[in-house]
Amino acid sequence: RRPVILAGLVSTWIAGMLFSSAEHLFSEDLALYFAAPMYWVMDVTINILQTPHRALVADLASESQQVPMQVVFVFFMAVGNFIGFSIMQIYT
């Protein structure tokens, strides 16, 4: 699982950097055509990064802890999404 987590982390970072710097790398007309696919790539890499973590919870939690730990994982994902959205609202 570690190579998948590391590859997901690196690819998420690269896609995020390319997405955020699209308007600096390309002209205003081409930036949108570059940023939109980078957004999709970033979404896929985030999903790739989350899958091994959920499998790790399934591997380490006992049978009675499976559902509560998956709920905790989803809760922390929701909190992270809310914080990310809130930070984005500060800069707009």
Side-chain angles (χ1 to χ4, degrees), residues 75-91:
F75 174 76
F76 281 127
M77 285 181 6
V79 168
N81 288 338
F82 178 75
I83 291 171
F85 179 77
S86 299
I87 289 172
M88 181 186 71
Q89 293 300 316
I90 293 171
Y91 293 111

Side-chain angles (χ1 to χ4, degrees), residues 8-76:
L9 179 64
V10 170
S11 59
T12 301
W13 181 77
I14 291 171
M17 293 297 287
L18 290 173
F19 172 74
S20 64
S21 63
E23 65 182 348
H24 302 290
L25 295 174
F26 299 101
S27 66
E28 207 170 291
D29 298 333
L30 293 176
L32 180 63
Y33 295 112
F34 182 75
M38 281 299 108
Y39 182 77
W40 296 328
V41 169
M42 199 168 50
D43 183 44
V44 168
T45 60
I46 289 170
N47 289 336
I48 290 170
L49 189 60
Q50 289 175 350
T51 302
H53 286 93
R54 292 192 76 163
L56 189 64
V57 168
D59 289 346
L60 297 178
S62 67
E63 189 68 34
S64 63
Q65 294 175 332
Q66 289 290 322
V67 173
M69 293 314 296
Q70 293 293 341
V71 169
V72 168
F73 187 83
V74 170
F75 174 76
F76 281 127

